[in-house]
């Protein structure tokens, strides 16, 4: 049975818990707000499926395969402004939805969706869920520098795949490898996209940041943008808190990488989930169809 004795050996993807035929594995949050599997040994039948589903115990080999690179910028200026980088993820998602497909990504959980992250600390929670309409894709836009709760997303992906629909799953490298371990392979109608992932800050740190922001601005904002391009564009990262649930509310707070304590901790590698410090998924050749990242070198290229 799965047993976490070293926290740096678990990414919290919950593939083990979702795979368990006896449903005797629960994901429990520690003081840092990171989830780890806990097995009810009385109910465990020792089938070993949890260990087989674990992406950390079965890391895919970093073996060379042919790769192509694209420089992508979305041609809708609104999408581009809301996205962390060039909006490639939205373009992919739009293509899948246009084919009648469904997209799983990470966004702020709202209303009834909050049960997906029950037990996670803080009042603003990021989790994985699905979207079927292009008008709803803004909920995924912008990178959230806090770990997303995968929750029941893997079995939901599986259910959608069974209907024959095209499914796109977007997540961290560990979440994507976890999905493929959970599924036991990559079905033809599944598209998987990850990104170059600096790290996943622990949720308790984000929860404290939001508490601090609440006290500082005297209002409870509903959205935090970790890179707000509306102020300085792509060249300079600043974090902001917005009034409402959309990406357009009034900016209640806005500080840059040197002055915001959360961004400073993130970029100084002080606040991450333990496994992120020795990420086994940081590979050149990945299980995903596509890996996105910030092409900061773009300014070195000619506009033509
Ligand atoms: C935690 C984190 C760390 C990153 N670190 C780097 C880095 O070091 N270097 C680099 O070049 N790029 C990094 N990126 C990726 C980068 O910020 C952009 O997301 C990427 O370049 C694609 O940009 P985009 O404009 O196409 O989409 P965006 O508008 O950025 O769309 C974001 C997509 O990522 C998903 N997503 C957002 N937050 C999370 C989350 N917490 N967990 C899982 N999925 C999430 C959403 O579902 C959405 O589809 C990081 C992203 C995240 C979330």
């Amino acid at each position: 049975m799965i047993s976490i004795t070293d926290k740096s050996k678990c990414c919290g993807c919950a593939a083990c818990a979702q795979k368990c035929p006896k449903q005797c594995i629960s994901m429990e949050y520690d003081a840092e707000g990171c989830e780890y599997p806990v097995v009810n040994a009385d109910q465990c039948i020792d089938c070993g499926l949890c260990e087989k589903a674990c992406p950390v115990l079965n890391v895919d080999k970093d073996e060379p395969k042919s790769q192509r690179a694209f420089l992508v910028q979305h041609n809708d200026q609104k999408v581009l402004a809301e996205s962390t980088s060039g909006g490639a993820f939205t373009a992919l998602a739009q293509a899948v939805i246009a084919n009648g497909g469904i997209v799983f990504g990470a966004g702020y959980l709202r209303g009834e969706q909050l049960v997906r992250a029950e037990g996670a600390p803080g009042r603003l929670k990021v989790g994985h869920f699905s979207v079927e309409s292009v008008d709803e894709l803004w909920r995924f836009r912008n990178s959230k520098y806090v770990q997303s709760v995968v929750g029941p997303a893997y079995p939901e992906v599986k259910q959608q795949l069974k209907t024959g629909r095209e499914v796109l799953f977007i997540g961290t490298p560990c979440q994507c490898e976890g999905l493929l371990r959970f599924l036991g392979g990559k079905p033809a109608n599944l598209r998987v996209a990850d990104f170059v992932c600096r790290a996943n800050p622990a949720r308790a740190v984000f929860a404290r940041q939001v508490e601090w922001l609440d006290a500082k601005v005297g209002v409870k904002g509903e959205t935090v943008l970790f890179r707000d391009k509306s102020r300085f564009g792509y060249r300079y990262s600043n974090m902001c808190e917005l009034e409402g649930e959309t990406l357009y509310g009034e900016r209640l707070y806005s500080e840059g990488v040197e002055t915001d304590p959360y961004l400073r901790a993130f970029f100084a590698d002080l606040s991450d989930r333990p496994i992120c410090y020795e990420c086994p998924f940081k590979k050149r050749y990945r299980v995903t169809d596509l890996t996105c990242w910030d092409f900061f070198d773009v300014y070195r290229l000619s506009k033509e």
Side-chain angles (χ1 to χ4, degrees):
M1 75 176 81
I2 209 122
S3 167
I4 307 299
T5 49
D6 175 354
K7 286 183 174 177
S8 72
K9 299 284 181 274
C10 175
C11 63
C13 72
C16 55
Q18 297 294 348
K19 197 76 186 177
C20 176
K22 302 301 280 182
Q23 295 179 330
C24 68
I25 303 179
S26 54
M27 298 301 290
E28 295 185 9
Y29 294 88
D30 72 356
E32 294 180 330
C34 302
E35 70 281 62
Y36 296 94
V38 177
V39 181
N40 179 338
D42 293 340
Q43 288 173 20
C44 175
I45 53 168
D46 235 351
C47 64
L49 284 179
C50 52
E51 287 171 328
K52 277 193 197 136
C54 174
V56 180
L57 292 177
N58 307 280
V59 180
D60 203 74
K61 286 200 186 90
D62 193 8
E63 278 177 348
K65 56 187 172 189
S66 83
Q67 287 178 320
R68 285 189 297 165
F70 303 88
L71 170 54
V72 177
Q73 192 171 57
H74 205 288
N75 55 18
D76 180 328
Q77 291 304 309
K78 189 163 163 282
V79 169
L80 189 57
E82 292 169 2
S83 304
T84 315
S85 296
F89 276 145
T90 297
L92 288 177
Q94 284 172 318
V96 168
I97 289 175
N99 283 344
I102 183 166
V103 180
F104 287 78
Y108 286 100
L109 300 173
R110 307 292 187 192
E112 289 175 4
Q113 285 181 329
L114 282 162
V115 295
R116 302 170 83 88
E118 212 166 8
R123 64 176 184 82
L124 294 181
K125 297 179 213 281
V126 172
H128 265 73
F129 56 91
S130 62
V131 154
E132 299 183 59
S133 139
V134 167
D135 296 341
E136 285 287 302
L137 283 176
W138 66 268
R139 292 193 60 191
F140 293 155
R141 285 201 270 280
N142 217 277
S143 293
K144 290 76 172 178
Y145 295 148
V146 63
Q147 191 179 8
S148 162
V149 178
V150 177
Y154 290 168
E156 288 170 358
V157 167
K158 188 175 177 182
Q159 204 183 353
Q160 292 293 334
L161 287 168
K162 270 194 198 153
T163 67
R165 253 180 133 179
E166 191 173 350
V167 178
L168 169 64
F169 181 91
I170 298 168
T172 59
C174 53
Q175 289 165 345
C176 292
E177 262 199 65
L179 173 65
L180 297 199
R181 280 286 152 209
F182 170 81
L183 295 172
K186 187 164 170 293
N189 50 338
L190 175 63
R191 318 271 172 259
V192 191
D194 66 350
F195 40 82
V196 169
C197 180
R198 180 184 183 88
N200 257 315
R203 296 182 193 96
V205 184
F206 182 55
R208 288 301 297 272
Q209 167 82 0
V210 172
E211 270 175 37
W212 177 78
L213 282 174
D214 288 350
K216 190 175 173 70
V217 299
V219 186
K220 290 192 171 177
E222 287 304 321
T223 305
V224 170
L225 288 187
F226 297 81
R227 190 192 289 163
D228 177 17
K229 292 202 295 198
S230 70
R231 249 183 112 185
F232 303 111
Y234 183 60
R235 282 177 189 265
Y236 182 75
S237 269
N238 63 300
M239 182 163 184
C240 80
E241 190 183 34
L242 303 177
E243 193 188 24
E245 292 186 355
T246 67
L247 303 179
Y248 323 107
E250 187 199 330
R251 264 77 180 149
L252 302 168
Y253 165 94
S254 178
E255 292 291 335
V257 284
E258 294 89 3
T259 47
D260 176 74
Y262 191 84
L263 289 184
R264 285 181 68 190
F266 180 48
F267 289 111
D269 302 321
L270 292 175
S271 52
D272 307 330
R273 189 180 171 107
I275 193 171
C276 299
Y277 294 98
E278 42 189 280
C279 176
F281 307 102
K282 190 172 68 177
K283 294 178 284 187
R284 172 159 179 182
Y285 302 101
R286 304 187 176 192
V287 297
T288 51
D289 296 301
L290 194 93
T291 299
C292 285
W293 74 93
D294 291 301
F295 189 23
F296 282 116
D297 284 339
V298 71
Y299 299 110
R300 289 168 45 199
L301 301 183
S302 147
K303 285 248 179 196
E304 283 79 50

